[in-house]
Amino acid sequence: MELKFADRMKDFEEGIFQVLNEKKNERLAQGKTVYNLSVGTPDFKPAQHIMDAVAEAAKKPGNYKYSLADMPELTGSVIERFKKRYGVELVPEEIMSVYGSQEGITHIGMSLCNPGDGVLVPNPGYPIFAIGPSLANARLITYDLTEENSYLPDLEGMDDEVLKTVKFMIVSYPMNPICKTAPEGFYEKLVLWAKKKNIIIVHDNAYSDIIYDGRKGISILSVPGAKEVCVEFYSLSKSYNYTGARMGFLVGNKEIVANFKKLRSQIDYGTFFPVQYGAIAALTGPDDMIKEQCREYQRRRDALCGGLRSIGWDIKDSEGTMFAWGAIPEKYGTDDVAFVMELMQKSGVLCTPGSSFGSLGKGHVRFALTLPVEEIQKAVRAVKESGMI
Ligand SMILES: Cc1ncc(COP(=O)(O)O)c(C=O)c1O
């Protein structure tokens, strides 16, 4: 039988990542060092009280049933966290858990869009921002994030006729991959604009706790009136290193949450109880670890961005996220893929080609700050010794 798969599967071929992975494994097999700064998985561990809560709950046989819904204590812990962390008051109907923001962003378009509805997504942007709406057969309309527009959407410059076809817009600051934060007043402006244009805002807030130089990570829901048009994805992956447990939340507009819950009730039977208990421990627990971790990320950022600048590569300091972003040196043109490959071969430093985040990422690279400072310093030295810069 000749197997024929959906055309969309062609979009998911691993391509460069598979090749890079093979090259990395080849290097490791030869006993050579690899500085893996490509994957955004935190190398920190979750706090002990979080792991204890999961372990305790995992010992109880009753916790292996379908959970079907979020426990009221879990919803309550989100209410507590949003009040304490962002000054945002939530009610239970404004909250639902997702298997990480990734899953939520993958599916929310299916609950909001009919085929052909427009969705505004950033370019460059985190890949699922485009993949999710595409799976819902929505029509992607990219908005450019460039130095000229301070890496913000040009709201006033958008065509009104096009905007009439748009169902929702995905926004995310601090932003992966470009590592920029939203300036004060931006969300206020965005919320007003969204109301006027009748467009739902989906804010992905994965990095509000990894933000540098005294900047404050906020929730878009702290803007007056935001709940009329906004929902936000809040993730436990990066703030609490609860990454593999797959726990995040959609919070905000009640109707959007209820509508999305209806879709997800068809897809899954609820989050494993021990994962819910661990999340409660995280959300209601102390915050010192989160703040110390942020300081450590900042030290790593300084080592990487400052280190690369000191050897002649102008990588600007990230404003937030666990990444650094910059253009490849001019002499390499815009072929970020070839550059990443050569850098890997000559220095052992592995980073991610910017073009994997959209056409405006071409000619750029993204580094993950997932190694300790001393390792990052060694990686910078390896880049210098490669003679590539
Ligand atoms: C911007 C952004 N959103 C969402 C995610 C996925 O987070 P989660 O683990 O909650 O699915 C990531 C992970 O790197 C991310 O960078």
Side-chain angles (χ1 to χ4, degrees):
M1 179 179 133
E2 191 193 349
L3 293 173
K4 283 203 172 143
F5 299 114
D7 289 345
R8 70 164 65 87
M9 297 312 294
K10 295 191 192 94
D11 299 339
F12 304 147
E13 270 151 27
E14 284 195 64
I16 171 68
F17 291 103
Q18 204 170 343
V19 179
L20 273 173
N21 207 28
E22 280 161 18
K23 294 272 175 245
K24 180 190 83 181
N25 290 337
E26 259 171 42
R27 256 190 93 89
L28 288 172
Q30 291 162 4
K32 292 182 181 164
T33 310
V34 170
Y35 301 97
N36 191 350
L37 299 175
S38 71
V39 188
T41 301
D43 57 319
F44 299 113
K45 58 180 189 185
Q48 192 61 44
H49 63 276
I50 302 175
M51 295 190 284
D52 289 345
V54 176
E56 267 317 300
K59 286 182 204 153
K60 299 191 176 129
N63 284 340
Y64 288 79
K65 293 183 288 199
Y66 290 130
S67 68
L68 298 175
D70 295 341
M71 297 188 313
E73 297 87 333
L74 178 65
T75 308
S77 67
V78 177
I79 293 175
E80 188 180 322
R81 169 65 39 181
F82 264 67
K83 175 92 186 94
K84 180 170 144 200
R85 173 66 182 81
Y86 302 118
V88 170
E89 305 271 1
L90 294 173
V91 295
E93 297 73 32
E94 294 168 336
I95 302 166
M96 65 181 281
S97 73
V98 288
Y99 290 133
S101 314
Q102 182 86 2
E103 179 272 317
I105 299 164
T106 305
H107 289 134
I108 194 166
M110 293 179 194
S111 77
L112 293 173
C113 292
N114 288 318
D117 284 345
V119 179
L120 281 164
V121 298
N123 179 17
Y126 182 60
I128 200 65
F129 295 167
I131 295 170
S134 306
L135 289 174
N137 292 324
R139 195 166 34 85
L140 293 179
I141 305 165
T142 53
Y143 61 89
D144 296 350
L145 299 178
T146 60
E147 200 173 345
E148 294 71 52
N149 60 26
S150 309
Y151 301 98
L152 295 170
D154 176 13
L155 300 177
E156 303 317 322
M158 291 184 193
D159 181 336
D160 268 332
E161 286 310 304
V162 174
L163 291 181
K164 280 183 195 152
T165 68
V166 170
K167 247 332 178 6
F168 73 101
M169 174 180 193
I170 301 186
V171 179
S172 181
Y173 295 95
M175 222 264 188
N176 173 14
I178 55 170
C179 308
K180 294 287 174 192
T181 52
E184 224 182 301
F186 169 70
Y187 291 126
E188 281 81 352
K189 197 171 145 197
L190 181 69
V191 167
L192 282 179
W193 175 87
K195 279 187 201 172
K196 205 161 85 187
K197 305 292 180 191
N198 213 20
I199 290 173
I200 293 164
I201 302 293
V202 174
H203 182 234
D204 180 17
N205 201 12
Y207 296 105
S208 66
D209 290 323
I210 309 177
I211 189 158
Y212 306 129
D213 306 314
R215 293 180 179 87
K216 299 265 176 287
I218 66 164
S219 161
I220 196 168
L221 302 177
S222 62
V223 170
K227 285 185 195 168
E228 284 171 46
V229 279
C230 300
V231 281
E232 179 163 270
F233 282 106
Y234 173 74
S235 171
L236 269 62
S237 292
K238 311 298 161 89
S239 300
Y240 304 93
N241 307 314
Y242 205 46
T243 327
R246 313 306 299 130
M247 178 56 96
F249 295 91
L250 179 69
V251 291
N253 183 282
K254 270 184 205 170
E255 286 171 81
I256 299 174
V257 169
N259 183 59
F260 191 34
K261 260 189 197 168
K262 215 194 299 176
L263 175 79
R264 283 189 82 256
S265 71
Q266 306 303 308
I267 301 173
D268 79 76
Y269 289 136
T271 300
F272 187 39
F273 280 118
V275 170
Q276 297 200 38
Y277 280 107
I280 295 167
L283 292 164
T284 56
D287 292 350
D288 15 336
M289 188 216 94
I290 301 176
K291 289 183 185 142
E292 176 43 36
Q293 180 170 291
C294 180
R295 286 191 285 273
E296 177 58 16
Y297 274 126
Q298 186 166 322
R299 287 190 282 272
R300 293 174 177 193
R301 180 218 51 183
D302 292 344
L304 187 75
C305 301
L308 291 175
R309 285 199 301 273
S310 77
I311 63 166
W313 187 0
D314 185 22
I315 300 289
K316 302 269 183 303
D317 280 345
S318 315
E319 296 176 3
T321 76
M322 53 187 290
F323 304 102
W325 173 257
I328 61 177
E330 240 175 81
K331 62 181 168 184
Y332 295 95
T334 57
D335 194 346
D336 49 295
V337 172
F339 175 81
V340 165
M341 203 66 88
E342 195 178 333
L343 188 69
M344 166 75 181
Q345 271 157 356
K346 293 193 173 157
S347 71
V349 174
L350 180 56
C351 57
T352 306
S355 51
S356 52
F357 300 100
S359 61
L360 292 180
K362 203 168 164 54
H364 292 72
V365 287
R366 189 197 73 176
F367 297 95
L369 302 171
T370 45
L371 288 177
V373 168
E374 307 75 58
E375 289 299 301
I376 289 180
Q377 287 166 339
K378 283 190 210 162
V380 170
R381 271 200 297 279
V383 174
K384 184 178 180 198
E385 281 157 17
S386 73
M388 281 185 68
I389 306 302

